[in-house]
Amino acid sequence: MHMAFREETKAAMEHFGGVVEEQLERAEAMKAAADWTDYDSLDRIVIGVCGGDGIGPYISAHARTVLEDLLSEEIAAGRVEVRTIEGLTIENRVKEMKAVPDAVLAELRDCHVILKGPTTTPKKGDPWPNIESANVAMRRHLDLFANVRPVKIPEKSIDWVFFRENTEGSYALGSKGVNVTDDVSIDFCVTTEQGSDRIIRLAFDYAKRNSMGKVSVVTKANVVKATDGKFLDVAERVAKEFPEVEWDDWFIDIMTAKLLDPYRAKDFKVMVLPNLYGDILTDEAAQIQGGVGTAGSANIGKRHAMFEAIHGSAPRMVEEGRAQYADPSSMIKAAAMLLAHIGRPQQARRLEMALDVCGQFERRLAMTGRSDGADGALYADYVLETVKDPTLEDRWTRHRESFSA
Ligand code: IPM
Ligand code: MG
């Protein structure tokens, strides 16, 4: 018997039908996706830099300086090009009423990799219209499915790498939920076989290649049964292909607690998790490392990759005239991840070591985000000077040993 649905329900059903069709198509597109970009085969690698909003232009300029310095020979020889991409600002996005304006997107597609400053994400009630997040849109348009976020705390023997699924879950249709009536709102959460397989496979593969030994799969599959249940099922299947990598599964709530457990924390290595849990857990992890300003983030897809800070654009710092005191470590860390991704492991490693020395071991400059601390330019100089120190390797090893002693 056909139920007599009210008009609002019918409209919601119609909307849902469109959403389902779209997701089925996305799954098909994933099946047909091209293979990974081979950076070694390119004559020239194009790196796009977007400043973003708020403190973004400040900290990304510092990261760019460091990056250009490390690649100076290759830039001079034309093997690498660093390109400025304008227009990914909240003002311009609002003007065009697009999360990523078309012209900007076309320019981004022409780059192999992107270094991106944080962008403002409006929410209901902000002075801006409630447009979709530029991050989320960019991740979706360029299919940057793996959000890789490392967190290291040498003094606690913590070496975590989070593989956050970056295109699905609660984000896939984050801007397409429905307010069915004034009383009832419904959002969607999507998990696909293909989307789960590719992120989980990448996490296991990473654990295997880097001898990390263990992958922890984090869900809430006991409650969120269809989508998280699928994620866990896929993990179980993929894990069988990696007999050398141990794995376990955790629920997100207890995992949030265990990252703070001094007896347990160092036992976690690689973690793989759906989008929203990954968003939340990686902020917590970054805070444990010394603040969200210290963590970098890679958004990796088969064709493109984008590197950014894990934090937001801190408009308050700009309003209060403190933008120049923002810590650029997160963006410099993102630049190091970019170097590793395009096959420049030596430069990446030197930069990582310099960041450890400046931010964890020596801490000669305090970054407080205010005028009582160092400013970002001075800090970037400190990092660059450290990168260029011919004794960096020894300096790093010495500190590392005294920290773990
Ligand atoms: C992040 C950020 C973004 C996210 C925001 C800005 C949309 O918090 O990269 O973690 O939620 O993914
Ligand atoms: Mg976040």
Side-chain angles (χ1 to χ4, degrees):
M1 197 190 70
H2 188 68
M3 269 179 80
F5 290 121
R6 62 193 86 189
E7 283 312 308
E8 292 94 330
T9 309
K10 283 191 209 154
M13 283 161 69
E14 179 77 12
H15 179 82
F16 184 60
V19 158
V20 172
E21 284 295 326
E22 202 181 281
Q23 293 306 308
L24 290 170
E25 271 166 37
R26 200 172 60 81
E28 289 306 318
M30 278 188 275
K31 289 185 202 166
D35 216 354
W36 292 91
T37 298
D38 173 13
Y39 296 96
D40 291 341
S41 71
L42 301 173
D43 294 333
R44 166 188 292 229
I45 299 177
V46 180
I47 303 174
V49 180
C50 309
D53 301 309
I55 59 169
Y58 295 80
I59 58 175
S60 50
H62 299 315
R64 180 182 186 153
T65 308
V66 174
L67 189 65
E68 284 181 336
D69 197 276
L70 279 160
L71 292 170
S72 57
E73 279 174 31
E74 298 195 74
I75 293 172
R79 288 195 301 275
V80 170
E81 180 190 334
V82 182
R83 203 180 268 180
T84 305
I85 306 216
E86 309 275 5
L88 198 71
T89 57
I90 185 72
E91 293 80 9
N92 197 36
R93 288 183 285 132
V94 163
K95 196 172 104 215
E96 306 226 352
M97 282 306 280
K98 281 243 159 116
V100 180
D102 295 344
V104 178
L105 186 59
E107 280 191 65
L108 292 172
R109 282 190 200 281
D110 279 343
C111 300
H112 298 106
V113 288
I114 300 152
L115 185 66
K116 177 189 148 298
T119 41
T120 296
T121 299
K123 65 170 188 327
K124 219 181 192 155
D126 280 354
W128 307 107
N130 197 6
I131 56 171
E132 193 187 20
S133 146
N135 288 45
V136 174
M138 201 190 289
R139 291 166 184 166
R140 196 179 54 243
H141 286 304
L142 303 179
D143 205 19
L144 309 175
F145 65 85
N147 191 184
V148 185
R149 298 183 156 176
V151 165
K152 274 198 195 127
I153 310 163
E155 53 200 285
K156 295 185 183 160
S157 302
I158 285 175
D159 191 355
W160 297 329
V161 186
F162 296 87
F163 283 74
R164 164 189 178 192
E165 202 294 318
N166 214 19
T167 48
E168 311 203 324
S170 310
Y171 284 65
L173 295 158
S175 298
K176 292 195 177 165
V178 269
N179 295 308
V180 181
T181 61
D182 285 346
D183 294 332
V184 177
S185 300
I186 299 181
D187 269 314
F188 303 106
C189 183
V190 186
T191 297
T192 65
E193 176 79 23
Q194 291 71 25
S196 307
D197 185 283
R198 61 186 184 176
I199 183 74
I200 293 167
R201 193 169 291 283
L202 202 66
F204 273 88
D205 191 56
Y206 180 90
K208 179 178 164 183
R209 278 187 293 110
N210 295 282
S211 309
M212 304 271 289
K214 195 173 111 189
V215 174
S216 300
V217 179
V218 187
T219 66
K220 188 76 189 180
N222 51 342
V223 176
V224 185
K225 292 190 191 291
T227 48
D228 283 3
K230 175 172 278 303
F231 197 86
L232 194 52
D233 280 351
V234 174
E236 209 168 327
R237 179 171 54 66
V238 172
K240 292 205 176 83
E241 296 176 40
F242 294 86
E244 58 281 85
V245 181
E246 254 182 76
W247 80 288
D248 53 11
D249 83 274
W250 291 80
F251 295 133
I252 181 63
D253 49 351
I254 187 66
M255 182 55 113
T256 310
K258 286 298 159 192
L259 287 192
L260 295 169
D261 178 346
Y263 299 103
R264 178 67 83 163
K266 64 178 182 324
D267 297 339
F268 298 116
K269 300 289 170 202
V270 173
M271 282 160 267
V272 61
L273 61 182
N275 211 337
L276 183 58
Y277 308 142
D279 177 45
I280 298 167
L281 202 65
T282 54
D283 264 17
E284 186 197 21
Q287 185 62 43
I288 299 172
Q289 174 179 266
V292 290
T294 64
S297 165
N299 296 265
I300 295 173
K302 292 194 170 166
R303 300 225 17 208
H304 299 275
M306 181 265 277
F307 300 81
E308 61 179 347
I310 82 161
H311 55 77
S313 59
R316 197 171 307 151
M317 289 190 79
V318 182
E319 281 157 29
E320 294 172 5
R322 301 187 281 118
Q324 70 272 32
Y325 297 106
D327 188 347
S329 302
S330 54
M331 283 301 291
I332 300 177
K333 173 89 186 164
M337 296 179 83
L338 184 154
L339 287 166
H341 187 73
I342 61 171
R344 304 296 186 273
Q346 264 113 12
Q347 285 106 316
R349 173 144 171 77
R350 283 192 78 77
L351 189 48
E352 296 265 4
M353 282 192 298
L355 283 168
D356 284 348
V357 167
C358 301
Q360 301 250 1
F361 299 146
E362 289 180 359
R363 298 189 193 165
R364 253 184 5 222
L365 293 180
M367 298 302 293
T368 62
R370 303 176 177 275
S371 56
D372 59 355
D375 68 19
L378 203 60
Y379 194 81
D381 283 347
Y382 176 30
V383 173
L384 204 49
E385 212 175 89
T386 310
V387 170
K388 289 179 170 168
D389 174 4
T391 70
L392 173 60
E393 183 91 45
D394 290 344
R395 189 166 155 197
W396 185 84
T397 312
R398 222 177 35 242
H399 286 304
R400 178 81 182 83
E401 280 162 5
S402 68
F403 260 90
S404 37

